[in-house]
Amino acid sequence: MSKRGGTSRRSFEKQPCPFSLRCHLMETPVAAAPAGDFFPSFLLLGFATLVAALLGAAHRLGLFYQLMHKVDKASIRHGGENVAAVLRAHGVRFLFTLVGGHISPLLVACEKLGIRVVDTRHEVTAVFAADAVARLTGTVGVAAVTAGPGLTNTVTAVKNAQIAQSPVLLLGGAASTLLQNRGALQAIDQMSLFRPLCKFCASVQRVREIIPTLRAAMAAAQSGTPGPVFVELPIDVLYPYFMVQKEMVSAKPPKGLVGQGVSWYLENYLANLFAGAWEPQPEGPLPLDIPQASPQQVQRCVEILSRAKRPLVLLGSQALLPPTPSDKLRVAVETLGVPCFLGGMARGLLGRSHPLHIRQNRSAALKKADVVVLAGTVCDFRLSYGRVLSRSSKIIIVNRNRKEMLMNSDMFWKPQVAVQGDVGSFVVKLAQGLQGQTWASDWAEELRQADRQKEQTFREKASMPVAEHLNPVRVLQLVEETLPDNSILVVDGGDFVGTAAHLVQPRGPLRWLDPGAFGTLGVGAGFALGAKLCQPEAEVWCLFGDGAFGYSLIEFDTFVRHKIPVMALIGNDAGWTQISREQVPCLGSNVACGLAYTGYHKAAMGLGAQGLLLSRESEDQVVKVLHEAQQQCQGGHPVVVNILIGRTDFRDGSIAV
């Protein structure tokens, strides 16, 4: 006998149909339950609902938590101290900020714990400075800004950090937790604003949550593909109990039941904010999750590369991420012996004029290569979305971010092997697997010969006269000859910086700072600030376009106040020339592209910095003026060198969009 749902077919057939059963019940009202039995059930249900609601409210108010964790109402400690303790435990040395009342406690606490607090003139500069610290140290850079407009001012820098994959922690003030969505000063939905920009977003609602939230944020910033994280710190979790109590609870006794009810609610809300606030918690770093290539993937790549005749490696910024130190990565690249192009933070990895480092004619080299290793390099606009890769080349790509790694692979190119893992570790393992492998020297020599031909073209352009002022190509060649070995290059601009990228070589790894793929103008002052603080013994040379310098000028006040001696070289051609190069021939107008030969050196002097001028009248004094600027920096002064330049055809045809 078959059964379905636990009922035999026979027993099912004996059951009356539902309709007849319903008719039977209608005909026999005595079968219904007594009406009086309904009310106890209803009351029981109502009582249970009330109890559940009360328990839920008690949980939200933290009444159960307060039974085990008391509030120290006499303590003058505040949540800012918890913030500072976590930052110190993570090795944070600098906190960049623009002051605001919402975040004052954490700034004061950081200062007391020996974390240097550096205030800037614009919040975006604070985040750019934190970004530079993250890139140069391999740790998390930290910025703290006040609520509302303080936070919205950072959006561009946070997005730049996201695209550049920099681990930056942004701490943002906020209105009190009790006043959210009630029209408080500078109160907006900050979480919705930053969720698309950050790997991790959290709003701290109680003082005891500060430490675990910050530890989780720091780990998230560095794990997987690094990036910015955001922690919102409402004002009532940062200030001490007695101050929050004064603002939240009336000093006068409440009148009436409603007043007493409101007072009881606020007292318990306040107690929940501070319950367990000062109990010891671990403050140090959490383990990081860094993806690694599998041995099988590495071996497959070893086999492909071992059969190559014309191999090529493109190293990008991800190659310089921890845990692989730059010196170990350099040894691996030299051991590999494959000609390579260096981009982003990998610039300078092989020092100056290394025989394996190919600098020019990248597109032509990629077309000829039979195996290409894209190590932290992606097929975005910089590689023409993959169109510069030859269809006959075998492409090995490694990246921590799978989506970025496979970008445009369904359109213009296709990887032979795609490895999601840490780039530096992969290159080291690849070199170990190919130990003793050599490639024909004629391939590298062919690429070097193309470099030499291109550099001869540069020399010819440097000697050509310009209509007015100085030839920017010649100026940058002299900068290259003058640049010391301990220098860090910060670049911020369009045409002048684009020219410098071909002519000026960083002297070592992690000595070149550019905005990255977002192409952001205005990074210069913040990057210079972070770089000089991280490496005070280094000379920080900033190459600015005159348009880009407009974003950074006011920060020379910051450099003067904090005694940060950096050197800014402005290629001043009185215009947004990179845009003009395309706009004029295509659209026939130079509208909005014109600037003036402004005396930026005088403006810097007005802010307390040193200012120098270079023009055609001092054409034979370029090196002398550069040395004078160096001496001023070595004496502790920030310097602006305003270099009036003419226009050349050096970058004709370069893209602006």
Side-chain angles (χ1 to χ4, degrees):
M1 182 183 300
S2 64
K3 294 187 177 181
R4 296 183 182 176
T7 304
S8 70
R9 181 177 297 176
R10 181 175 298 174
S11 62
F12 178 79
E13 291 170 349
K14 290 182 177 180
Q15 297 298 320
C17 74
F19 180 76
S20 62
L21 179 62
R22 184 172 59 186
C23 292
H24 176 71
L25 291 174
M26 290 175 64
E27 293 171 356
T28 55
V30 292
D37 292 347
F38 172 76
F39 294 103
S41 300
F42 178 78
L43 292 174
L44 182 61
L45 178 61
F47 179 74
T49 303
L50 178 61
V51 169
L54 291 173
L55 290 174
H59 175 73
R60 287 192 298 274
L61 284 172
L63 298 181
F64 301 126
Y65 186 87
Q66 292 174 49
L67 294 175
M68 302 295 294
H69 305 270
K70 300 302 181 184
V71 178
D72 185 355
K73 297 182 180 181
S75 175
I76 60 172
R77 295 185 62 183
H78 55 78
E81 297 173 12
N82 287 5
V83 175
V86 175
L87 298 184
R88 182 177 64 175
H90 284 74
V92 174
R93 297 164 53 207
F94 310 107
L95 176 70
F96 301 99
T97 190
L98 197 158
V99 70
H102 290 85
I103 59 170
S104 290
L106 74 87
L107 303 181
V108 173
C110 284
E111 181 188 42
K112 287 182 178 178
L113 289 186
I115 297 170
R116 184 170 177 180
V117 178
V118 183
D119 62 303
T120 62
R121 295 298 301 271
H122 196 292
E123 290 90 351
V124 77
T125 304
V127 179
F128 283 139
D131 187 340
V133 169
R135 299 189 197 198
L136 295 178
T137 65
T139 59
V140 178
V142 185
V145 299
T146 197
L151 271 163
T152 59
N153 277 346
T154 70
V155 167
T156 296
V158 174
K159 185 64 183 183
N160 193 79
Q162 181 189 44
I163 293 179
Q165 300 176 351
S166 293
V168 171
L169 168 62
L170 177 62
L171 303 173
S176 132
T177 57
L178 194 64
L179 295 179
Q180 296 290 330
N181 302 314
R182 295 181 182 274
L185 175 67
Q186 298 180 334
I188 60 172
D189 184 359
Q190 298 174 163
M191 299 299 291
S192 294
L193 185 63
F194 283 93
R195 281 193 189 98
L197 306 177
C198 296
K199 295 182 63 182
F200 174 101
C201 285
S203 180
V204 174
Q205 297 298 299
R206 287 164 283 273
V207 179
R208 60 182 177 270
E209 297 173 1
I210 292 175
I211 291 175
T213 302
L214 289 178
R215 294 178 75 210
M218 298 285 270
Q222 300 170 88
S223 293
T225 305
V229 294
F230 172 60
V231 176
E232 181 182 76
L233 296 163
I235 193 169
D236 50 353
V237 303
L238 286 180
Y239 278 81
Y241 180 91
F242 72 92
M243 294 183 70
V244 178
Q245 181 187 42
K246 182 180 178 181
E247 294 297 321
M248 186 179 293
V249 182
S250 174
K252 298 180 180 179
K255 296 180 180 179
L257 287 176
V258 173
Q260 292 174 6
V262 170
S263 179
W264 176 88
Y265 174 82
L266 293 176
E267 289 283 1
N268 279 282
Y269 190 96
L270 178 63
N272 189 33
L273 274 176
F274 286 88
W278 319 124
E279 295 176 4
Q281 297 185 62
E283 300 165 348
L286 294 169
L288 304 182
D289 180 16
I290 299 175
Q292 296 289 339
S294 70
Q296 294 81 8
Q297 289 174 317
V298 174
Q299 183 57 36
R300 188 179 176 197
C301 296
V302 166
E303 292 170 0
I304 293 171
L305 202 54
S306 67
R307 294 191 289 268
K309 301 298 182 184
R310 298 183 305 280
L312 200 61
V313 174
L314 272 63
L315 279 171
S317 295
Q318 272 196 21
L320 273 294
L321 290 175
T324 305
S326 59
D327 55 351
K328 187 176 181 180
L329 179 64
R330 173 175 177 156
V331 170
V333 172
E334 291 176 329
T335 301
L336 203 57
V338 176
C340 61
F341 288 89
L342 306 175
M345 294 303 296
R347 286 175 179 265
L349 176 68
L350 299 176
R352 187 183 184 190
S353 304
H354 194 285
L356 288 177
H357 181 202
I358 311 302
R359 303 183 63 238
Q360 316 295 344
N361 302 301
R362 186 176 64 181
S363 295
L366 286 168
K367 290 295 185 185
K368 294 179 180 179
D370 58 355
V371 175
V372 177
V373 180
L374 301 177
T377 302
V378 297
C379 293
D380 59 11
F381 70 93
R382 291 167 292 185
L383 288 181
S384 191
Y385 311 100
R387 284 179 289 197
V388 296
L389 300 173
S390 171
R391 292 285 185 179
S392 61
S393 300
K394 293 181 179 178
I395 311 299
I396 297 169
I397 187 165
V398 56
N399 198 289
R400 291 195 187 189
N401 187 305
R402 180 172 178 80
K403 181 180 179 182
E404 185 175 87
M405 176 174 64
L406 299 177
M407 189 182 296
N408 299 310
S409 62
D410 56 340
M411 296 178 64
F412 303 118
W413 71 286
K414 187 175 182 179
Q416 187 80 9
V417 183
V419 180
Q420 185 178 2
D422 176 61
V423 176
S425 304
F426 172 84
V427 174
V428 170
K429 293 171 185 174
L430 197 62
Q432 292 169 348
L434 288 161
Q435 191 83 35
Q437 175 83 29
T438 58
W439 286 269
S441 59
D442 58 345
W443 168 236
E445 179 56 31
E446 178 185 344
L447 297 175
R448 285 194 291 269
Q449 179 60 27
D451 261 15
R452 288 190 287 269
Q453 291 174 356
K454 197 69 173 281
E455 287 162 4
Q456 176 59 31
T457 303
F458 296 162
R459 285 190 288 271
E460 293 170 2
K461 289 188 178 294
S463 63
M464 294 174 62
V466 293
E468 57 181 338
H469 302 304
L470 300 174
N471 185 324
V473 181
R474 179 56 183 157
V475 168
L476 288 167
Q477 284 183 335
L478 295 174
V479 169
E480 164 64 16
E481 294 171 9
T482 309
L483 199 66
D485 289 340
N486 73 337
S487 60
I488 295 176
L489 282 163
V490 173
V491 297
D492 184 8
D495 201 68
F496 186 66
V497 166
T499 304
H502 289 280
L503 301 170
V504 183
Q505 299 184 55
R507 299 323 197 220
L510 300 175
R511 292 188 173 275
W512 173 278
L513 287 169
D514 64 26
F518 202 33
T520 308
L521 289 182
V523 301
F527 280 9
L529 176 60
K532 188 63 178 178
L533 287 170
C534 287
Q535 299 188 29
E537 77 290 346
E539 287 190 18
V540 177
W541 290 49
C542 308
L543 304 181
F544 285 100
D546 55 330
F549 186 69
Y551 294 93
S552 290
L553 172 60
I554 191 59
E555 297 300 348
F556 274 79
D557 170 78
T558 302
F559 297 144
V560 170
R561 287 185 294 108
H562 290 281
K563 298 179 172 55
I564 308 291
V566 301
M567 188 163 73
L569 310 181
I570 305 170
N572 186 353
D573 58 3
W576 299 96
T577 304
Q578 179 162 304
I579 309 301
S580 183
R581 283 188 189 277
E582 201 169 26
Q583 181 173 305
V584 173
C586 291
L587 301 172
S589 172
N590 198 46
V591 61
C593 294
L595 296 172
Y597 283 107
T598 302
Y600 296 111
H601 58 298
K602 295 181 180 178
M605 293 169 67
L607 294 170
Q610 300 296 308
L612 301 169
L613 176 67
L614 274 172
S615 64
R616 177 161 287 179
E617 288 69 29
S618 54
E619 188 168 4
D620 59 345
Q621 301 292 309
V622 173
V623 173
K624 180 181 177 181
V625 170
L626 292 178
H627 284 315
E628 182 181 348
Q630 285 181 281
Q631 291 172 359
Q632 294 281 4
C633 276
Q634 290 164 4
H637 304 287
V639 183
V640 169
V641 183
N642 189 17
I643 308 172
L644 306 186
I645 58 175
R647 301 193 181 190
T648 72
D649 63 356
F650 185 87
R651 298 191 71 241
D652 280 356
S654 60
I655 61 169
V657 292

